[in-house]
Amino acid sequence: MPSDLRRGLGGLRALGVLAFATVLLLPAASGAPAYPVLPLATSNGFLAHLAVPVTAPGSSSSFTWTLHDPLPSSLAQVVVRFELYAFNAYPGNATGPIGGGTVPELSNGSGSFAGVVSYAFSSLASSSSESGSTQVLVPTGTPLGDYAVRTSLRFEVNGTGFYLASRGFFSSSSWSYATNGSHAPTGLPSLNVSRLNVSGVLPETAVTVLAPTQSLWIYGLLAGAIIAAGVGGYYGLRRGPTSSSGARTPPDESRADRAFGNNRTSDGD
C-alpha cells in the first residue's frame, strides 16, 4: 500500500476517534438539567415561615420553619437542610464567607451543634405540612452582624428525584447566567431555573447577632412599624366602600428570597 494512502487512512481513523469522543462528551457538556424543573410558584410553596429572632452573643435562640408539599403527589425520602455560609458584619456592609473563630452554630435537637443541620422525613402527604424548630447557639465573642443561612431540599416522587436550593448555593456567575436575557413585566430579571440544574429555588434566612442594647433598639423600630401599619390600616378601612365592580389589584410577582440579596462578594458552592 502506498505511503500516501496509508497516511490518509490513518488521518481518517484519527478523525473518527476524535468524533466518537466528542459525541461521548456532548451530554456532559451540554448543561442539561439533572432534575425535573418545577414552576417558580410551586417552588415557593415548599419552605415557608422562616423566622429568626435577634440573638445576643453568649445566648441561644431558635428559628422556626414549615415544610409543605404543594404537589398533587406525596413526597418520599424528604431531606431539608440548613447551613450557615456567609457573614455580613455590623456596623458596615462587608459581606464574605464565614471564617474560623467564634461563629453561631445550629442544632436539630440532637444535642450537638454544627454549621449545618438536616431533617429527614420518610414521606410527606400531598397538601400536608411539617413544622420544625432549629436551635441557634451564639457563643460569647461572636462578631456582630448577619449570618446567612442557605437552604436545600431533596425528595422523590414516584421514584424521580428532585432537588431545590436557595441563592447561597450558586456562584455569582451561575446566578447571573440564570437571570440574564429574560425579564419579567416589572422590568426586573426573571429566573431561568433550568440553567441552575435544580428543580427550583428556595428562600433563605439569616441569624442576626447584636448586643442586647442593640436588640432592644431593633425591636423598638419593629414595634413602631407595626403600630404605624395598624393605624394606617384603620384609616384605610374608614375611607368608604371599594369598587362595586369586583375588580381587584393583581398580586405582586413571586420571587425567591435571599438573605443578602443578589450583590454579594461571597459565592456559593
Side-chain angles (χ1 to χ4, degrees), residues 3-268:
S3 59
D4 292 341
L5 181 58
R6 285 198 298 269
R7 284 195 297 268
L9 291 176
L12 289 175
R13 284 196 294 269
L15 289 175
V17 171
L18 178 61
F20 180 69
T22 302
V23 171
L24 290 179
L25 291 174
L26 278 176
S30 64
Y35 301 95
V37 175
L38 297 169
L40 182 58
T42 302
S43 300
N44 290 341
F46 284 100
L47 190 62
H49 304 149
L50 286 166
V52 185
V54 177
T55 309
S59 63
S60 62
S61 63
S62 62
F63 68 84
T64 56
W65 46 271
T66 300
L67 182 64
H68 178 70
D69 178 8
L71 300 178
S73 302
S74 298
L75 312 182
Q77 307 300 320
V78 184
V79 178
V80 60
R81 168 175 152 167
F82 302 93
E83 179 181 2
L84 293 161
Y85 78 98
F87 174 58
N88 189 24
Y90 176 86
N93 190 28
T95 303
I98 296 179
T102 305
V103 296
E105 295 181 310
L106 308 177
S107 176
N108 58 7
S110 61
S112 60
F113 287 82
V116 57
V117 294
S118 298
Y119 300 82
F121 305 91
S122 58
S123 63
L124 187 63
S126 175
S127 301
S128 66
S129 301
E130 287 281 354
S131 297
S133 177
T134 299
Q135 296 175 328
V136 180
L137 176 65
V138 181
T140 301
T142 299
L144 305 183
D146 293 323
Y147 294 81
V149 180
R150 57 187 180 186
T151 62
S152 66
L153 174 65
R154 295 182 183 273
F155 60 85
E156 294 182 1
V157 175
N158 298 324
T160 300
F162 290 78
Y163 174 62
L164 296 88
S166 68
R167 167 67 179 87
F169 281 96
F170 309 107
S171 67
S172 295
S173 58
S174 296
W175 190 262
S176 177
Y177 174 65
T179 56
N180 183 34
S182 178
H183 297 271
T186 59
L188 298 173
S190 59
L191 179 62
N192 186 342
V193 178
S194 62
R195 294 184 174 182
L196 296 173
N197 289 341
V198 294
S199 299
V201 175
L202 297 175
E204 59 184 36
T205 186
V207 174
T208 298
V209 178
L210 292 177
T213 54
Q214 294 170 326
S215 300
L216 292 176
W217 179 73
I218 292 293
Y219 285 129
L221 288 179
L222 292 176
I226 293 173
I227 293 174
V231 172
Y234 171 74
Y235 283 104
L237 291 175
R238 289 169 54 90
R239 289 187 302 177
T242 58
S243 171
S244 60
S245 65
R248 297 185 178 182
T249 302
D252 294 335
E253 182 183 2
S254 177
R255 299 183 63 81
D257 298 326
R258 275 85 64 191
F260 291 163
N262 290 335
N263 298 322
R264 296 197 319 274
T265 57
S266 173
D267 288 345

